[in-house]
Amino acid sequence: AKEHMPIFAYREMLRQQYEEQSYAQAMKAEVVGKVTVVPGEVERFFDTLTTEELPIVPEQYVYAQIVRYPSSQAAAKQRTKERLLDMRERIISGKSTMQILARTYSVDPGSAMNGGEYPPGPLSQLTKPFADALEKLKPGQISEVVETEFGFHIIELIDEPKNNLY
């Protein structure tokens, strides 16, 4: 697993991911840079569609999280939960923020450096306990400790879910 990789291998993996992202962004910029569409053209296109032809995009949740991976021992799990509860209390009391704590303590390589934040996405992409907890939150609220097969999490809903019709 990633947590047992030598640091040089982990750095190389991150470097490759960054390089791939850079190439993808450069490609996108080149393609999008040649496109010129004015708002009137978009409006006229959508006016030609019937209601049934409009694609439905599921609600998009914007959230941040802090992830910790406990060992399989019950005592280690309990210590992890207690640390997350302490972090939750620090966020709620205003002593710290989700972004600072996620960057410092989260072990999720996909979100830690972004302050725990993930891009918008539907609940169907998330594991059930995580999705259930996220769905109950209002913007700015912090969840209780949520256990999934990926570890323990505290979750903050950043923005209202959006249900976009195009």
Side-chain angles (χ1 to χ4, degrees), residues 67-134:
V67 180
R68 300 287 297 164
Y69 298 118
S71 69
S72 60
Q73 300 167 355
K77 285 186 174 187
Q78 186 59 35
R79 280 195 305 273
T80 301
K81 287 180 188 177
E82 288 169 3
R83 289 195 70 191
L84 281 170
L85 285 171
D86 178 58
M87 288 180 211
R88 180 181 187 272
E89 182 57 38
R90 288 166 61 189
I91 294 167
I92 291 170
S93 66
K95 292 178 182 170
S96 192
T97 66
M98 174 68 83
Q99 292 75 22
I100 291 169
L101 293 176
R103 283 188 185 102
T104 308
Y105 298 107
S106 183
V107 295
D108 178 32
S111 70
M113 293 315 294
N114 296 329
E117 190 170 338
Y118 271 94
L123 289 177
S124 60
Q125 292 179 344
L126 305 171
T127 187
K128 184 159 177 34
F130 193 100
D132 291 347
L134 180 58

Side-chain angles (χ1 to χ4, degrees), residues 139-150:
Q141 281 187 323
I142 310 292
S143 72
E144 295 294 331
V145 176
V146 177
E147 183 176 3
T148 71
E149 66 265 30
F150 302 107

